Amino acid sequence: MSGGIAPSGAQDRYSLRLFVAGTAPRSLRAVEFLRRVCETHIPNRYELEIADIYQQPDLAERDGILAAPTLLKVAPLPERRISGDLLDEDRLLRVLEIDPAMEAR
């Protein structure tokens, strides 16, 4: 990201980083579920980076990741994280601070 002035609407974009453990079934379910939730509630307003802790251990260490799957909301601030069961949509939306009503806008 640059340090310049954000274009209009950029503050509404979500930047998410999901840490997974290879192709474990739990990781694959988390990726699929998270993509569905994002497409349902914040379509075209998110960036989702998938990071494999086995292939990118330095990134996991930098972000202090101790378990997978773990989801980091990098933007908008404040940064948030959720680990373990990511399949609870209500909990996921609360942690990400996404208003479910936004999908109707």
Side-chain angles (χ1 to χ4, degrees), residues 17-24 26-28 31 49-72 81-84 86:
R17 185 174 304 131
L18 177 62
F19 288 90
V20 297
T23 57
R26 188 174 177 181
S27 295
L28 297 177
V31 170
E49 176 185 3
I50 308 296
D52 186 333
I53 60 173
Y54 297 134
Q55 295 183 8
Q56 298 170 288
D58 52 332
L59 187 58
E61 183 177 336
R62 184 196 72 189
D63 286 341
I65 302 303
L66 301 174
T70 294
L71 176 64
L72 273 178
R81 68 180 56 207
I82 182 172
S83 297
L86 302 181

Side-chain angles (χ1 to χ4, degrees), residues 1-18:
M1 289 190 156
S2 69
I5 297 172
S8 177
Q11 67 275 9
D12 293 332
R13 287 195 62 81
Y14 285 79
S15 179
L16 307 171
R17 185 174 304 131
L18 177 62

Side-chain angles (χ1 to χ4, degrees), residues 17-104:
R17 185 174 304 131
L18 177 62
F19 288 90
V20 297
T23 57
R26 188 174 177 181
S27 295
L28 297 177
R29 280 193 306 270
V31 170
E32 182 180 321
F33 185 77
L34 184 57
R35 284 188 172 141
R36 185 178 64 76
V37 168
C38 289
E39 283 299 316
T40 300
H41 297 283
I42 51 173
N44 302 315
R45 296 189 310 118
Y46 72 95
E47 295 174 17
L48 176 60
E49 176 185 3
I50 308 296
D52 186 333
I53 60 173
Y54 297 134
Q55 295 183 8
Q56 298 170 288
D58 52 332
L59 187 58
E61 183 177 336
R62 184 196 72 189
D63 286 341
I65 302 303
L66 301 174
T70 294
L71 176 64
L72 273 178
K73 183 188 82 167
V74 179
L77 294 173
E79 184 176 293
R80 300 280 189 217
R81 68 180 56 207
I82 182 172
S83 297
D85 181 12
L86 302 181
L87 305 181
D88 182 337
E89 186 170 335
D90 291 335
R91 178 175 172 236
L92 191 59
L93 292 174
R94 273 195 316 274
V95 171
L96 297 178
E97 298 177 322
I98 295 172
D99 182 1
M102 291 178 71
E103 65 186 298

